[in-house]
Structures are given as C-alpha cells and as structure tokens.
C-alpha cells in the first residue's frame, strides 16, 4: 500500500520520494505503462515511479519508436532496390534505333510516301496531266503522241499507281513496326514506373501513418518531460522561498533578544546594585566570623 501523507515509494528503487518527484502509473499513457510493466509485471496503476526512472523509460520508448521507423524504412528501401534490379529492361529511343537500322529500300519508300502524301505532289501531278491533255488536244508544237481518249496517259497513271502503292505500303509497314516497338517500350516503361510508384506510395503511406504519429508521440513525451522538469523547478523555488523566509524570521528575532538583554546588564552595572552587592558580601563575612568564634 502506498502512503498518501505527502511521500511515496518508487516502484523501481523503493526509495521514499515526494509526490511532486514523480507520477503514478495510472497517469501515464498506455504504451509507456506497458513498457514499465515488462520489467515489473505486478505493477498496478496505484504504483509510483520517480522522475529519474520515468525519464529512463521515456527515452527507451523513444528509442524503440525510432528504431522501428528505421527498420520499416530500411525494409521499404530494400523492396524498392529489388524492384529496380528485377526489371532489366533498358528504355530505348525507338525512333533512333529504327533510323539506324533502315535499309536503302526503306529510305526510298519513306521518301516516296512522304512526297506522295504532300500538296506539292498533288499540284505537280495535276499540272502534268493538264499539260499532257492540252498538248495532245491542241497539237501544240506539232506533238500528237496521245490523242483522245489519252490511252497512254491512263497507262502512265496506272503504272504510277502500281509502283506507288507498294512503296506506300512498305512505309506503312515500317510505321506499324515503329508503333509496335513504341507500344512495347511504353508497356515496359509503364510497368516499371508502376512498380516504383507502388513502392514509393508505400513509403508515403508509412510516413503518413507511422512516422508522423511517432513524431507527435515523441513530441508529446518531450513535452511531458519538460512539464515534469518545470514542476520540479517550481517546487525547488517554493522550497527556496520558504527557507529564505524562515532564515529572515530567525535573523529578525535575534536583534530583539539582544535589545531585551541590554537593560538587564545596565541594572547589574548600576551603583545601587554595586553597594547592595557589597553589603551582602559584608553580611556574609560577618556571619562567617560568628561561626568561627
């Protein structure tokens, strides 16, 4: 049973302390109280622990929280490292890779497809046909090599279309290959980014759900430690004020005693007191003479 006459006994060292020098276990947080009960399983909420040992357990609790955060962060960093090492796919520039692997035929097909799909080709081809039809219809310059219905022109257009179509298809096939390689590259990049983002998301969740509450808990413990120190300092100031007032009271009583003793000394030193003392001495001597006779 604890004594409630102003002094209690510490749970750890069983020494006597004042109530202001510690707290009861019931006033502590659950995690800190559980940490103390690991060393003292039979401790109850009515048991008292002094500030010195309480600081030790608070520091131990903060060390455990910090070590737990370090272990969790280290685990997440290892997971991120494994994710980065697992995917050995190297991100490449598909366009640059295709340009370095082009053959002469592919380059020609790209040039033909590029020119055939432009306005200069359409305008120039229309002008050539109009010139062809005009020359053969009006017999300009004496030329009449393709009369109406312009069979040679139709043959020429069919040949251009027959040659142009495969070249355009070759260019389209190469574009399709480029798109396929680009999509495959994007897939690997997205997959790699997704795994990295997932791990980073786990780290952010850990920071929000664990690190910040732990930091707030540590700040709370530090605030409680500062409050305990402040209460002890206030108690020391109160005791110092009490002892200073007591000393001043003692010093104030001493001059009064000295003043009251001075009149008594003056009466003893006066002539009447001296003559009275001489008479008493003569009477005592006279009495001693009668005794001798």
């Amino acid at each position: 049973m604890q004594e409630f006459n102003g002094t209690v006994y510490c749970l750890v060292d069983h020494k006597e302390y004042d109530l202001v020098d510690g707290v009861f276990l019931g006033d502590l947080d659950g995690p800190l109280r559980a940490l103390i009960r690991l060393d003292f399983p039979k401790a109850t909420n009515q048991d008292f622990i002094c500030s010195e040992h309480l600081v030790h357990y608070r520091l131990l609790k903060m060390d455990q929280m910090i070590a737990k955060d370090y272990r969790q962060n280290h685990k997440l960093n290892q997971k991120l490292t494994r994710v980065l090492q697992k995917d050995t796919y190297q991100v490449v520039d598909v366009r640059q890779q295709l340009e370095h692997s082009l053959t002469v035929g592919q380059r020609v097909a790209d040039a033909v497809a590029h020119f055939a799909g432009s306005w200069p080709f359409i305008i120039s081809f229309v002008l050539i046909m109009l010139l062809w039809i005009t020359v053969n219809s009006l017999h300009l310059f004496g030329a009449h090599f393709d009369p109406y219905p312009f069979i040679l022109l139709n043959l020429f257009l069919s040949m251009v279309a027959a040659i142009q179509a495969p070249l355009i298809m070759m260019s389209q096939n190469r574009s399709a290959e480029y798109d396929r390689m680009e999509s495959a590259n994007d897939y690997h990049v997205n997959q790699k980014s997704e795994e990295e983002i997932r791990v980073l998301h786990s780290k952010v969740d850990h920071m929000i759900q664990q690190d910040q509450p732990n930091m707030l808990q540590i700040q709370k413990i530090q605030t409680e430690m500062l409050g305990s120190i402040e209460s002890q300092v206030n108690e020391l100031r109160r005791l110092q004020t009490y002892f200073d007032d007591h000393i001043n009271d003692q010093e104030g009583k001493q001059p009064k005693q000295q003043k009251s003793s001075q009149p008594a000394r003056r009466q003893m030193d006066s002539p009447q007191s001296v003559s009275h003392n001489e008479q008493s001495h003569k009477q005592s001597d006279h009495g001693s003479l009668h005794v001798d006779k």
Side-chain angles (χ1 to χ4, degrees):
M1 296 294 293
Q2 297 287 350
E3 298 180 1
F4 293 95
N5 55 358
T7 59
V8 287
Y9 293 93
C10 179
L11 174 66
V12 180
D13 55 8
H14 303 289
K15 293 182 180 180
E16 187 175 0
Y17 293 92
D18 293 332
L19 287 175
V20 296
D21 294 333
V23 295
F24 292 97
L25 294 185
D27 297 332
L28 299 176
D29 293 335
L32 186 59
R33 186 166 57 247
L35 182 62
I36 296 174
R37 284 178 176 171
L38 290 177
D39 296 334
F40 302 95
K42 296 182 180 181
T44 62
N45 293 336
Q46 287 74 29
D47 289 326
F48 182 83
I49 183 170
C50 63
S51 300
E52 180 180 358
H53 296 96
L54 182 59
V55 169
H56 168 72
Y57 282 104
R58 281 172 172 169
L59 293 176
L60 182 61
K61 179 62 178 177
M62 287 191 289
D63 291 338
Q64 289 181 355
M65 295 169 65
I66 294 172
K68 182 179 178 181
D69 289 339
Y70 280 153
R71 288 194 300 270
Q72 188 67 22
N73 289 328
H74 182 66
K75 186 184 297 184
L76 291 174
N77 289 332
Q78 287 183 342
K79 185 177 180 181
L80 180 60
T81 303
R82 287 194 301 269
V83 169
L84 295 176
Q85 293 177 352
K86 180 181 178 181
D87 192 358
T88 58
Y89 178 79
Q90 298 295 330
V91 180
V92 296
D93 188 354
V94 178
R95 183 181 296 277
Q96 184 178 3
Q97 184 178 2
L98 285 177
E99 288 179 355
H100 287 296
S101 62
L102 286 178
T103 61
V104 178
Q106 290 176 343
R107 293 180 184 275
V108 172
D110 289 340
V112 171
H114 180 72
F115 179 71
S118 62
W119 280 106
F121 171 77
I122 296 174
I123 294 172
S124 60
F125 202 75
V126 170
L127 292 176
I128 291 174
M129 287 192 297
L130 291 176
L131 181 61
W132 185 289
I133 295 170
T134 303
V135 169
N136 287 278
S137 297
L138 302 177
H139 303 284
L140 297 177
F141 310 108
H144 188 62
F145 54 88
D146 187 18
Y148 183 83
F150 312 113
I151 297 175
L152 185 58
L153 179 60
N154 291 329
L155 178 61
F156 177 73
L157 293 176
S158 299
M159 292 175 58
V160 170
I163 296 173
Q164 188 180 13
L167 294 176
I168 294 174
M169 292 181 64
M170 290 173 58
S171 178
Q172 290 179 350
N173 290 334
R174 198 182 68 80
S175 298
E177 183 180 0
Y178 168 80
D179 294 337
R180 181 183 59 80
M181 294 180 64
E182 185 73 20
S183 62
N185 185 63
D186 292 340
Y187 171 75
H188 287 286
V189 171
N190 293 335
Q191 187 178 14
K192 190 174 183 179
S193 301
E194 182 182 359
E195 293 179 354
E196 294 178 3
I197 291 173
R198 187 182 295 113
V199 177
L200 293 175
H201 193 274
S202 300
K203 295 187 70 174
V204 173
D205 289 341
H206 173 71
M207 292 178 61
I208 296 175
Q209 299 176 3
Q210 295 294 329
D211 287 349
Q212 290 185 357
N214 289 343
M215 290 298 296
L216 294 175
Q217 185 69 22
I218 291 174
Q219 291 178 1
K220 182 180 179 181
I221 294 174
Q222 292 175 348
T223 304
E224 291 176 353
M225 293 172 64
L226 292 175
S228 177
I229 294 172
E230 185 177 0
S231 63
Q232 292 179 4
V233 170
N234 293 331
E235 181 65 19
L236 290 175
R237 289 177 179 174
R238 188 184 65 80
L239 292 175
Q240 183 180 3
T241 304
Y242 172 77
F243 285 117
D244 290 341
D245 295 339
H246 182 70
I247 292 172
N248 293 330
D249 293 339
Q250 294 294 330
E251 291 178 352
K253 292 179 181 180
Q254 289 180 359
K256 293 181 180 180
Q257 293 177 356
Q258 292 177 359
K259 291 180 180 179
S260 61
S261 62
Q262 286 180 359
R265 291 180 180 177
R266 290 175 182 175
Q267 292 177 0
M268 292 176 64
D269 294 338
S270 62
Q272 295 178 357
S273 62
V274 172
S275 61
H276 180 71
N277 290 332
E278 289 179 354
Q279 292 178 0
S280 61
H281 282 297
K282 288 180 181 181
Q283 291 178 359
S284 61
D285 293 337
H286 182 71
S288 62
L289 290 175
H290 286 290
V291 172
D292 293 333
K293 292 179 179 182

